[in-house]
Amino acid sequence: MAGKVFFSVSMSLDGFIAPESSGKLMGRQWMELQAWIFPQRFFRENLKLGEGGEEGRDNDIARETFERTGASVMGKRMFDAGEQMWPAEAPFHTPVFVVTHEKRDPWERPGGTTFHFVNDGIETALDRAREAAGDRDVRIAGGGATILEYVNAGLIDEFSIALSPVLFGSGIRLFEGVDAARVALEQVRSESSPRVTHLTYAVHPRQQ
């Protein structure tokens, strides 16, 4: 039985998931946006940042998101930024399929992550990710433009947002350009923690 296709992102209160410029990743605003996950025990252990860390619902959600993911898909912009920032042991530990026009051999990293470069579109990347994931889920890792392509193509089953108490003012909006006439949402879960509010929605085709 094939798993779900989902995405999971942190979002500011005014709807942004990243700064406009990749050069501002790891900048002050982005660090504030992601501040909820940095202290979590699972996150620290996964990136080998040291022992200890917070435990609680935020930590559980970070771990559950990782454990349900059998393969990931991302766009070239996210890969280019991550290639510079991720440690040698990239944090995915599963196959990752990069949607790109660049032809490149698979890039194997320590710890079980192998990046595969897919040159013939989002559906082919998803098909390959589904095959690699088996009965686990496929995560559309980002960035925003790639997530939007999958939403507008009707290929997302579910998504989660960690709504952070941060204002960006500008940047990359999660749903900028969404084909709202085709997308209906059903709220599945809402959980608050001292740091963020976790919102989960099922995605259905909108009835015409």
Side-chain angles (χ1 to χ4, degrees):
M1 178 105 180
K4 294 180 179 179
V5 180
F6 79 104
F7 67 85
S8 178
V9 296
S10 298
M11 186 175 79
S12 69
L13 280 175
D14 51 348
F16 297 97
I17 60 171
E20 190 70 48
S21 168
S22 58
K24 292 184 178 180
L25 287 175
M26 305 301 287
R28 179 181 58 82
Q29 280 186 314
W30 190 86
M31 296 294 284
E32 290 175 353
L33 179 69
Q34 305 292 348
W36 71 274
I37 199 167
F38 293 137
Q40 305 309 319
R41 183 186 184 105
F42 177 80
F43 179 84
R44 292 180 55 78
E45 289 176 350
N46 190 34
L47 268 75
K48 295 187 169 19
L49 299 177
E51 296 182 356
E54 294 180 7
E55 298 189 37
R57 191 61 189 131
D58 286 339
N59 187 64
D60 292 344
I61 287 172
R63 186 184 66 252
E64 289 163 6
T65 301
F66 176 85
E67 290 177 346
R68 69 183 285 194
T69 302
S72 296
V73 176
M74 70 178 60
K76 182 64 160 51
R77 183 178 187 269
M78 179 176 179
F79 173 78
D80 285 346
E83 189 175 17
Q84 304 301 318
M85 294 187 298
W86 293 318
E89 189 172 315
F92 303 96
H93 307 290
T94 63
V96 179
F97 297 86
V98 182
V99 181
T100 178
H101 297 297
E102 178 186 6
K103 295 189 183 299
R104 179 169 169 178
D105 291 334
W107 187 41
E108 186 174 348
R109 309 302 294 145
T113 301
T114 299
F115 295 94
H116 302 270
F117 301 89
V118 181
N119 304 132
D120 43 0
I122 63 170
E123 294 192 13
T124 299
L126 180 57
D127 288 344
R128 292 183 60 184
R130 282 187 189 277
E131 184 177 359
D135 59 357
R136 294 166 74 193
D137 296 338
V138 174
R139 182 180 184 180
I140 309 303
T146 301
I147 288 172
L148 187 66
E149 281 192 82
Y150 279 97
V151 171
N152 284 343
L155 297 172
I156 297 292
D157 300 310
E158 183 180 286
F159 66 87
S160 296
I161 292 171
L163 192 62
S164 295
V166 177
L167 297 173
F168 262 42
S170 64
I172 296 175
R173 286 190 183 275
L174 177 57
F175 292 115
E176 188 73 43
V178 70
D179 187 353
R182 297 183 58 191
V183 179
L185 303 179
E186 172 192 356
Q187 183 157 310
V188 175
R189 217 165 29 253
S190 175
E191 302 177 75
S192 61
S193 76
R195 295 183 183 274
V196 291
T197 301
H198 299 280
L199 304 170
T200 301
Y201 299 90
V203 184
H204 306 291
R206 183 183 289 277
Q207 298 300 317
Q208 301 298 319

PDB file of all heavy atoms in Angstrom, residues 111-123:
ATOM      1  N   GLY A 111      25.536   8.095   5.876  1.00  0.00           N
ATOM      2  CA  GLY A 111      24.322   8.056   6.684  1.00  0.00           C
ATOM      3  C   GLY A 111      23.062   7.682   5.940  1.00  0.00           C
ATOM      4  O   GLY A 111      21.966   7.781   6.498  1.00  0.00           O
ATOM      5  N   GLY A 112      23.175   7.267   4.679  1.00  0.00           N
ATOM      6  CA  GLY A 112      22.002   6.748   3.987  1.00  0.00           C
ATOM      7  C   GLY A 112      21.295   7.702   3.054  1.00  0.00           C
ATOM      8  O   GLY A 112      20.285   7.334   2.448  1.00  0.00           O
ATOM      9  N   THR A 113      21.764   8.937   2.911  1.00  0.00           N
ATOM     10  CA  THR A 113      21.147   9.875   1.973  1.00  0.00           C
ATOM     11  C   THR A 113      21.833   9.771   0.615  1.00  0.00           C
ATOM     12  O   THR A 113      23.050   9.893   0.529  1.00  0.00           O
ATOM     13  CB  THR A 113      21.259  11.328   2.468  1.00  0.00           C
ATOM     14  OG1 THR A 113      20.626  11.449   3.747  1.00  0.00           O
ATOM     15  CG2 THR A 113      20.599  12.292   1.491  1.00  0.00           C
ATOM     16  N   THR A 114      21.045   9.540  -0.442  1.00  0.00           N
ATOM     17  CA  THR A 114      21.554   9.634  -1.808  1.00  0.00           C
ATOM     18  C   THR A 114      20.655  10.576  -2.589  1.00  0.00           C
ATOM     19  O   THR A 114      19.436  10.404  -2.604  1.00  0.00           O
ATOM     20  CB  THR A 114      21.589   8.263  -2.502  1.00  0.00           C
ATOM     21  OG1 THR A 114      22.456   7.389  -1.775  1.00  0.00           O
ATOM     22  CG2 THR A 114      22.109   8.401  -3.934  1.00  0.00           C
ATOM     23  N   PHE A 115      21.250  11.587  -3.204  1.00  0.00           N
ATOM     24  CA  PHE A 115      20.507  12.537  -4.029  1.00  0.00           C
ATOM     25  C   PHE A 115      20.482  12.036  -5.468  1.00  0.00           C
ATOM     26  O   PHE A 115      21.531  11.767  -6.061  1.00  0.00           O
ATOM     27  CB  PHE A 115      21.156  13.925  -3.964  1.00  0.00           C
ATOM     28  CG  PHE A 115      21.094  14.560  -2.605  1.00  0.00           C
ATOM     29  CD1 PHE A 115      22.146  14.427  -1.705  1.00  0.00           C
ATOM     30  CD2 PHE A 115      19.979  15.291  -2.212  1.00  0.00           C
ATOM     31  CE1 PHE A 115      22.094  15.010  -0.443  1.00  0.00           C
ATOM     32  CE2 PHE A 115      19.914  15.875  -0.957  1.00  0.00           C
ATOM     33  CZ  PHE A 115      20.970  15.734  -0.069  1.00  0.00           C
ATOM     34  N   HIS A 116      19.287  11.934  -6.023  1.00  0.00           N
ATOM     35  CA  HIS A 116      19.092  11.536  -7.417  1.00  0.00           C
ATOM     36  C   HIS A 116      18.537  12.739  -8.185  1.00  0.00           C
ATOM     37  O   HIS A 116      17.618  13.413  -7.690  1.00  0.00           O
ATOM     38  CB  HIS A 116      18.113  10.371  -7.520  1.00  0.00           C
ATOM     39  CG  HIS A 116      18.533   9.159  -6.738  1.00  0.00           C
ATOM     40  ND1 HIS A 116      19.303   8.160  -7.271  1.00  0.00           N
ATOM     41  CD2 HIS A 116      18.276   8.808  -5.447  1.00  0.00           C
ATOM     42  CE1 HIS A 116      19.514   7.226  -6.353  1.00  0.00           C
ATOM     43  NE2 HIS A 116      18.898   7.597  -5.237  1.00  0.00           N
ATOM     44  N   PHE A 117      19.050  13.000  -9.354  1.00  0.00           N
ATOM     45  CA  PHE A 117      18.693  14.202 -10.107  1.00  0.00           C
ATOM     46  C   PHE A 117      17.770  13.807 -11.258  1.00  0.00           C
ATOM     47  O   PHE A 117      18.135  13.001 -12.120  1.00  0.00           O
ATOM     48  CB  PHE A 117      19.963  14.907 -10.574  1.00  0.00           C
ATOM     49  CG  PHE A 117      20.836  15.289  -9.406  1.00  0.00           C
ATOM     50  CD1 PHE A 117      21.795  14.401  -8.910  1.00  0.00           C
ATOM     51  CD2 PHE A 117      20.657  16.489  -8.759  1.00  0.00           C
ATOM     52  CE1 PHE A 117      22.567  14.724  -7.806  1.00  0.00           C
ATOM     53  CE2 PHE A 117      21.426  16.825  -7.650  1.00  0.00           C
ATOM     54  CZ  PHE A 117      22.382  15.944  -7.167  1.00  0.00           C
ATOM     55  N   VAL A 118      16.551  14.370 -11.237  1.00  0.00           N
ATOM     56  CA  VAL A 118      15.486  13.972 -12.150  1.00  0.00           C
ATOM     57  C   VAL A 118      15.246  15.105 -13.146  1.00  0.00           C
ATOM     58  O   VAL A 118      14.917  16.239 -12.738  1.00  0.00           O
ATOM     59  CB  VAL A 118      14.192  13.657 -11.379  1.00  0.00           C
ATOM     60  CG1 VAL A 118      13.098  13.211 -12.338  1.00  0.00           C
ATOM     61  CG2 VAL A 118      14.449  12.590 -10.310  1.00  0.00           C
ATOM     62  N   ASN A 119      15.375  14.808 -14.425  1.00  0.00           N
ATOM     63  CA  ASN A 119      15.328  15.846 -15.459  1.00  0.00           C
ATOM     64  C   ASN A 119      14.008  15.917 -16.221  1.00  0.00           C
ATOM     65  O   ASN A 119      13.865  16.737 -17.121  1.00  0.00           O
ATOM     66  CB  ASN A 119      16.454  15.619 -16.482  1.00  0.00           C
ATOM     67  CG  ASN A 119      17.826  15.561 -15.832  1.00  0.00           C
ATOM     68  OD1 ASN A 119      18.609  14.666 -16.107  1.00  0.00           O
ATOM     69  ND2 ASN A 119      18.125  16.506 -14.956  1.00  0.00           N
ATOM     70  N   ASP A 120      13.047  15.048 -15.879  1.00  0.00           N
ATOM     71  CA  ASP A 120      11.821  15.040 -16.682  1.00  0.00           C
ATOM     72  C   ASP A 120      10.559  15.266 -15.860  1.00  0.00           C
ATOM     73  O   ASP A 120       9.543  14.622 -16.072  1.00  0.00           O
ATOM     74  CB  ASP A 120      11.702  13.768 -17.527  1.00  0.00           C
ATOM     75  CG  ASP A 120      12.083  12.512 -16.761  1.00  0.00           C
ATOM     76  OD1 ASP A 120      12.441  12.623 -15.587  1.00  0.00           O
ATOM     77  OD2 ASP A 120      12.001  11.432 -17.352  1.00  0.00           O
ATOM     78  N   GLY A 121      10.626  16.208 -14.923  1.00  0.00           N
ATOM     79  CA  GLY A 121       9.421  16.739 -14.317  1.00  0.00           C
ATOM     80  C   GLY A 121       9.050  16.190 -12.949  1.00  0.00           C
ATOM     81  O   GLY A 121       9.608  15.208 -12.458  1.00  0.00           O
ATOM     82  N   ILE A 122       8.049  16.862 -12.344  1.00  0.00           N
ATOM     83  CA  ILE A 122       7.665  16.560 -10.962  1.00  0.00           C
ATOM     84  C   ILE A 122       6.991  15.195 -10.838  1.00  0.00           C
ATOM     85  O   ILE A 122       7.142  14.522  -9.817  1.00  0.00           O
ATOM     86  CB  ILE A 122       6.777  17.661 -10.368  1.00  0.00           C
ATOM     87  CG1 ILE A 122       5.443  17.781 -11.123  1.00  0.00           C
ATOM     88  CG2 ILE A 122       7.510  19.003 -10.354  1.00  0.00           C
ATOM     89  CD1 ILE A 122       4.435  18.687 -10.416  1.00  0.00           C
ATOM     90  N   GLU A 123       6.258  14.779 -11.848  1.00  0.00           N
ATOM     91  CA  GLU A 123       5.561  13.493 -11.743  1.00  0.00           C
ATOM     92  C   GLU A 123       6.542  12.325 -11.787  1.00  0.00           C
ATOM     93  O   GLU A 123       6.386  11.349 -11.037  1.00  0.00           O
ATOM     94  CB  GLU A 123       4.487  13.381 -12.826  1.00  0.00           C
ATOM     95  CG  GLU A 123       3.359  14.386 -12.621  1.00  0.00           C
ATOM     96  CD  GLU A 123       2.160  14.095 -13.504  1.00  0.00           C
ATOM     97  OE1 GLU A 123       2.093  12.999 -14.076  1.00  0.00           O
ATOM     98  OE2 GLU A 123       1.289  14.983 -13.608  1.00  0.00           O
TER      99      GLU A 123
END
